[in-house]
Amino acid sequence: MFNVTELSDFAWSESELTSSILTLLTPNVVKSLPPNFQNIKTTTAAKNWLDEMVSQSHLFTVCLRDTKTIIGFVFLSEWDNQNVHLGYLLGELFWQQGYASEFLSGFITDCRDNHLVKSLIGGVEAANVPSAKLLLKLGFEQSHTTENGVTFYQRQLY
């Protein structure tokens, strides 16, 4: 149902990517995300956001296999040599349909089966209860909570 592909491995045009970014980064989607995800309302802002994400992480697109519509993104950024920070977002139109669970489950399996990383760590703001529940469902365990209310979850892959 989904393709999760590293951005560098797929031939998206800049206009397709910026259009998808503007469609996906709605206020409800980004309200629990860091400041650099906020107020992306122009093509220039979308391009700048994309450049920043590519420079800071391995960026993956999540698209529907049938239509090749980008419905979300997955981000992997180095935490240390063995632990990798996992971030993800899914467009609001695709919430509560099991999509995030399905594509993240497959993504985690690929990471484990290919020994890409030893463990994944995801941070979730306290207000983002659905994301915390999703990580727990996917086998993550609560690690710690920071002073600013972000709870970290970790999943050992091998």
Side-chain angles (χ1 to χ4, degrees), residues 39-65:
N39 300 311
I40 310 296
K41 297 179 181 177
T42 66
T43 301
T44 300
K47 173 72 171 106
N48 291 341
W49 179 85
L50 178 63
D51 291 344
E52 182 180 0
M53 292 302 103
V54 168
S55 73
Q56 294 178 355
S57 65
H58 290 276
L59 177 61
F60 297 81
T61 57
V62 179
C63 67
L64 297 174
R65 194 172 290 145

mmCIF file of all heavy atoms in Angstrom, residues 39-65:
data_model
loop_
_atom_site.group_PDB
_atom_site.id
_atom_site.type_symbol
_atom_site.label_atom_id
_atom_site.label_comp_id
_atom_site.label_asym_id
_atom_site.label_seq_id
_atom_site.Cartn_x
_atom_site.Cartn_y
_atom_site.Cartn_z
ATOM 1 N N ASN A 39 4.562 27.346 10.378
ATOM 2 C CA ASN A 39 4.345 28.453 9.438
ATOM 3 C C ASN A 39 4.985 28.255 8.066
ATOM 4 O O ASN A 39 5.527 29.190 7.491
ATOM 5 C CB ASN A 39 4.798 29.777 10.057
ATOM 6 C CG ASN A 39 4.022 30.087 11.318
ATOM 7 O OD1 ASN A 39 2.801 30.018 11.329
ATOM 8 N ND2 ASN A 39 4.742 30.413 12.375
ATOM 9 N N ILE A 40 4.926 27.057 7.552
ATOM 10 C CA ILE A 40 5.415 26.778 6.199
ATOM 11 C C ILE A 40 4.235 27.029 5.257
ATOM 12 O O ILE A 40 3.389 26.155 5.066
ATOM 13 C CB ILE A 40 5.938 25.331 6.064
ATOM 14 C CG1 ILE A 40 6.917 24.978 7.174
ATOM 15 C CG2 ILE A 40 6.528 25.101 4.677
ATOM 16 C CD1 ILE A 40 8.185 25.785 7.184
ATOM 17 N N LYS A 41 4.170 28.251 4.696
ATOM 18 C CA LYS A 41 2.990 28.652 3.927
ATOM 19 C C LYS A 41 3.295 29.115 2.507
ATOM 20 O O LYS A 41 2.384 29.420 1.756
ATOM 21 C CB LYS A 41 2.255 29.763 4.671
ATOM 22 C CG LYS A 41 1.722 29.311 6.011
ATOM 23 C CD LYS A 41 1.030 30.419 6.750
ATOM 24 C CE LYS A 41 0.553 29.891 8.097
ATOM 25 N NZ LYS A 41 -0.069 30.913 8.905
ATOM 26 N N THR A 42 4.580 29.175 2.156
ATOM 27 C CA THR A 42 4.947 29.608 0.812
ATOM 28 C C THR A 42 5.875 28.574 0.183
ATOM 29 O O THR A 42 6.493 27.763 0.883
ATOM 30 C CB THR A 42 5.669 30.967 0.837
ATOM 31 O OG1 THR A 42 6.938 30.802 1.500
ATOM 32 C CG2 THR A 42 4.835 32.041 1.538
ATOM 33 N N THR A 43 5.984 28.647 -1.121
ATOM 34 C CA THR A 43 6.897 27.739 -1.825
ATOM 35 C C THR A 43 8.329 27.933 -1.341
ATOM 36 O O THR A 43 9.064 26.957 -1.150
ATOM 37 C CB THR A 43 6.798 27.973 -3.348
ATOM 38 O OG1 THR A 43 5.435 27.743 -3.739
ATOM 39 C CG2 THR A 43 7.713 27.058 -4.119
ATOM 40 N N THR A 44 8.723 29.175 -1.125
ATOM 41 C CA THR A 44 10.077 29.453 -0.634
ATOM 42 C C THR A 44 10.286 28.845 0.744
ATOM 43 O O THR A 44 11.322 28.220 1.007
ATOM 44 C CB THR A 44 10.341 30.975 -0.595
ATOM 45 O OG1 THR A 44 10.195 31.484 -1.920
ATOM 46 C CG2 THR A 44 11.720 31.289 -0.069
ATOM 47 N N ALA A 45 9.308 28.993 1.643
ATOM 48 C CA ALA A 45 9.414 28.406 2.981
ATOM 49 C C ALA A 45 9.471 26.882 2.900
ATOM 50 O O ALA A 45 10.235 26.247 3.633
ATOM 51 C CB ALA A 45 8.249 28.860 3.849
ATOM 52 N N ALA A 46 8.686 26.291 1.995
ATOM 53 C CA ALA A 46 8.702 24.837 1.819
ATOM 54 C C ALA A 46 10.063 24.369 1.310
ATOM 55 O O ALA A 46 10.600 23.364 1.782
ATOM 56 C CB ALA A 46 7.594 24.408 0.867
ATOM 57 N N LYS A 47 10.629 25.084 0.361
ATOM 58 C CA LYS A 47 11.950 24.740 -0.170
ATOM 59 C C LYS A 47 13.016 24.866 0.920
ATOM 60 O O LYS A 47 13.878 23.986 1.062
ATOM 61 C CB LYS A 47 12.284 25.653 -1.360
ATOM 62 C CG LYS A 47 13.695 25.506 -1.906
ATOM 63 C CD LYS A 47 13.895 24.214 -2.654
ATOM 64 C CE LYS A 47 15.218 24.193 -3.367
ATOM 65 N NZ LYS A 47 16.207 23.343 -2.753
ATOM 66 N N ASN A 48 12.950 25.921 1.708
ATOM 67 C CA ASN A 48 13.909 26.100 2.810
ATOM 68 C C ASN A 48 13.777 24.989 3.840
ATOM 69 O O ASN A 48 14.778 24.471 4.344
ATOM 70 C CB ASN A 48 13.727 27.467 3.470
ATOM 71 C CG ASN A 48 14.156 28.598 2.569
ATOM 72 O OD1 ASN A 48 14.899 28.417 1.601
ATOM 73 N ND2 ASN A 48 13.673 29.797 2.856
ATOM 74 N N TRP A 49 12.534 24.621 4.159
ATOM 75 C CA TRP A 49 12.298 23.529 5.102
ATOM 76 C C TRP A 49 12.889 22.226 4.559
ATOM 77 O O TRP A 49 13.560 21.496 5.288
ATOM 78 C CB TRP A 49 10.798 23.376 5.350
ATOM 79 C CG TRP A 49 10.454 22.258 6.286
ATOM 80 C CD1 TRP A 49 10.416 22.299 7.647
ATOM 81 C CD2 TRP A 49 10.121 20.906 5.918
ATOM 82 N NE1 TRP A 49 10.073 21.071 8.147
ATOM 83 C CE2 TRP A 49 9.879 20.198 7.109
ATOM 84 C CE3 TRP A 49 9.986 20.242 4.700
ATOM 85 C CZ2 TRP A 49 9.521 18.856 7.114
ATOM 86 C CZ3 TRP A 49 9.632 18.905 4.715
ATOM 87 C CH2 TRP A 49 9.404 18.225 5.913
ATOM 88 N N LEU A 50 12.648 21.958 3.288
ATOM 89 C CA LEU A 50 13.175 20.751 2.657
ATOM 90 C C LEU A 50 14.698 20.728 2.722
ATOM 91 O O LEU A 50 15.300 19.719 3.099
ATOM 92 C CB LEU A 50 12.690 20.668 1.211
ATOM 93 C CG LEU A 50 13.184 19.487 0.395
ATOM 94 C CD1 LEU A 50 12.698 18.175 0.984
ATOM 95 C CD2 LEU A 50 12.714 19.630 -1.051
ATOM 96 N N ASP A 51 15.328 21.828 2.361
ATOM 97 C CA ASP A 51 16.793 21.904 2.414
ATOM 98 C C ASP A 51 17.309 21.645 3.823
ATOM 99 O O ASP A 51 18.306 20.939 4.017
ATOM 100 C CB ASP A 51 17.282 23.275 1.922
ATOM 101 C CG ASP A 51 17.069 23.474 0.426
ATOM 102 O OD1 ASP A 51 16.837 22.482 -0.300
ATOM 103 O OD2 ASP A 51 17.120 24.649 -0.014
ATOM 104 N N GLU A 52 16.623 22.215 4.805
ATOM 105 C CA GLU A 52 17.027 22.021 6.204
ATOM 106 C C GLU A 52 16.878 20.561 6.623
ATOM 107 O O GLU A 52 17.767 19.989 7.254
ATOM 108 C CB GLU A 52 16.195 22.923 7.113
ATOM 109 C CG GLU A 52 16.582 22.814 8.572
ATOM 110 C CD GLU A 52 15.754 23.718 9.470
ATOM 111 O OE1 GLU A 52 14.858 24.448 8.985
ATOM 112 O OE2 GLU A 52 16.003 23.678 10.685
ATOM 113 N N MET A 53 15.766 19.934 6.265
ATOM 114 C CA MET A 53 15.537 18.532 6.640
ATOM 115 C C MET A 53 16.565 17.608 5.993
ATOM 116 O O MET A 53 17.090 16.707 6.633
ATOM 117 C CB MET A 53 14.125 18.088 6.242
ATOM 118 C CG MET A 53 13.006 18.747 7.013
ATOM 119 S SD MET A 53 13.094 18.512 8.798
ATOM 120 C CE MET A 53 13.717 20.101 9.315
ATOM 121 N N VAL A 54 16.872 17.859 4.735
ATOM 122 C CA VAL A 54 17.849 17.030 4.025
ATOM 123 C C VAL A 54 19.242 17.208 4.632
ATOM 124 O O VAL A 54 20.006 16.255 4.739
ATOM 125 C CB VAL A 54 17.840 17.344 2.510
ATOM 126 C CG1 VAL A 54 19.021 16.718 1.800
ATOM 127 C CG2 VAL A 54 16.526 16.875 1.891
ATOM 128 N N SER A 55 19.560 18.425 5.082
ATOM 129 C CA SER A 55 20.884 18.665 5.671
ATOM 130 C C SER A 55 21.002 18.078 7.074
ATOM 131 O O SER A 55 22.104 17.788 7.532
ATOM 132 C CB SER A 55 21.206 20.162 5.692
ATOM 133 O OG SER A 55 20.457 20.831 6.674
ATOM 134 N N GLN A 56 19.884 17.887 7.777
ATOM 135 C CA GLN A 56 19.913 17.418 9.158
ATOM 136 C C GLN A 56 19.594 15.937 9.331
ATOM 137 O O GLN A 56 19.809 15.389 10.409
ATOM 138 C CB GLN A 56 18.896 18.206 10.004
ATOM 139 C CG GLN A 56 19.213 19.651 10.166
ATOM 140 C CD GLN A 56 18.131 20.362 10.960
ATOM 141 O OE1 GLN A 56 17.101 19.805 11.323
ATOM 142 N NE2 GLN A 56 18.368 21.629 11.225
ATOM 143 N N SER A 57 19.058 15.309 8.301
ATOM 144 C CA SER A 57 18.584 13.939 8.477
ATOM 145 C C SER A 57 18.541 13.198 7.154
ATOM 146 O O SER A 57 18.725 13.784 6.095
ATOM 147 C CB SER A 57 17.171 13.967 9.082
ATOM 148 O OG SER A 57 16.256 14.546 8.181
ATOM 149 N N HIS A 58 18.285 11.907 7.268
ATOM 150 C CA HIS A 58 17.904 11.122 6.095
ATOM 151 C C HIS A 58 16.393 11.295 6.001
ATOM 152 O O HIS A 58 15.664 10.938 6.921
ATOM 153 C CB HIS A 58 18.255 9.648 6.263
ATOM 154 C CG HIS A 58 19.717 9.383 6.243
ATOM 155 N ND1 HIS A 58 20.426 9.234 5.080
ATOM 156 C CD2 HIS A 58 20.607 9.264 7.250
ATOM 157 C CE1 HIS A 58 21.691 9.022 5.363
ATOM 158 N NE2 HIS A 58 21.823 9.036 6.677
ATOM 159 N N LEU A 59 15.935 11.859 4.908
ATOM 160 C CA LEU A 59 14.518 12.155 4.729
ATOM 161 C C LEU A 59 13.906 11.127 3.792
ATOM 162 O O LEU A 59 14.431 10.875 2.705
ATOM 163 C CB LEU A 59 14.350 13.566 4.155
ATOM 164 C CG LEU A 59 12.942 14.030 3.840
ATOM 165 C CD1 LEU A 59 12.073 14.049 5.095
ATOM 166 C CD2 LEU A 59 12.968 15.409 3.200
ATOM 167 N N PHE A 60 12.813 10.536 4.237
ATOM 168 C CA PHE A 60 12.095 9.539 3.461
ATOM 169 C C PHE A 60 10.700 10.060 3.156
ATOM 170 O O PHE A 60 10.060 10.672 4.015
ATOM 171 C CB PHE A 60 11.958 8.229 4.247
ATOM 172 C CG PHE A 60 13.264 7.575 4.567
ATOM 173 C CD1 PHE A 60 14.027 8.005 5.643
ATOM 174 C CD2 PHE A 60 13.728 6.518 3.808
ATOM 175 C CE1 PHE A 60 15.234 7.392 5.946
ATOM 176 C CE2 PHE A 60 14.929 5.896 4.105
ATOM 177 C CZ PHE A 60 15.692 6.339 5.175
ATOM 178 N N THR A 61 10.230 9.823 1.948
ATOM 179 C CA THR A 61 8.852 10.146 1.615
ATOM 180 C C THR A 61 8.001 8.898 1.831
ATOM 181 O O THR A 61 8.462 7.774 1.612
ATOM 182 C CB THR A 61 8.702 10.604 0.150
ATOM 183 O OG1 THR A 61 9.216 9.580 -0.715
ATOM 184 C CG2 THR A 61 9.440 11.907 -0.102
ATOM 185 N N VAL A 62 6.790 9.117 2.268
ATOM 186 C CA VAL A 62 5.809 8.045 2.392
ATOM 187 C C VAL A 62 4.740 8.348 1.351
ATOM 188 O O VAL A 62 4.122 9.412 1.391
ATOM 189 C CB VAL A 62 5.174 8.016 3.798
ATOM 190 C CG1 VAL A 62 4.142 6.900 3.889
ATOM 191 C CG2 VAL A 62 6.238 7.873 4.876
ATOM 192 N N CYS A 63 4.584 7.448 0.391
ATOM 193 C CA CYS A 63 3.583 7.708 -0.632
ATOM 194 C C CYS A 63 2.710 6.487 -0.849
ATOM 195 O O CYS A 63 3.128 5.350 -0.586
ATOM 196 C CB CYS A 63 4.229 8.173 -1.938
ATOM 197 S SG CYS A 63 5.220 6.968 -2.782
ATOM 198 N N LEU A 64 1.503 6.753 -1.295
ATOM 199 C CA LEU A 64 0.595 5.675 -1.650
ATOM 200 C C LEU A 64 1.121 5.015 -2.920
ATOM 201 O O LEU A 64 1.440 5.699 -3.897
ATOM 202 C CB LEU A 64 -0.812 6.222 -1.876
ATOM 203 C CG LEU A 64 -1.481 6.856 -0.662
ATOM 204 C CD1 LEU A 64 -2.811 7.488 -1.065
ATOM 205 C CD2 LEU A 64 -1.685 5.825 0.437
ATOM 206 N N ARG A 65 1.237 3.729 -2.891
ATOM 207 C CA ARG A 65 1.820 2.997 -4.013
ATOM 208 C C ARG A 65 1.024 3.193 -5.303
ATOM 209 O O ARG A 65 1.593 3.380 -6.371
ATOM 210 C CB ARG A 65 1.905 1.515 -3.663
ATOM 211 C CG ARG A 65 2.784 0.734 -4.596
ATOM 212 C CD ARG A 65 3.018 -0.685 -4.121
ATOM 213 N NE ARG A 65 3.872 -0.671 -2.943
ATOM 214 C CZ ARG A 65 3.773 -1.523 -1.931
ATOM 215 N NH1 ARG A 65 2.852 -2.453 -1.935
ATOM 216 N NH2 ARG A 65 4.592 -1.446 -0.904
#
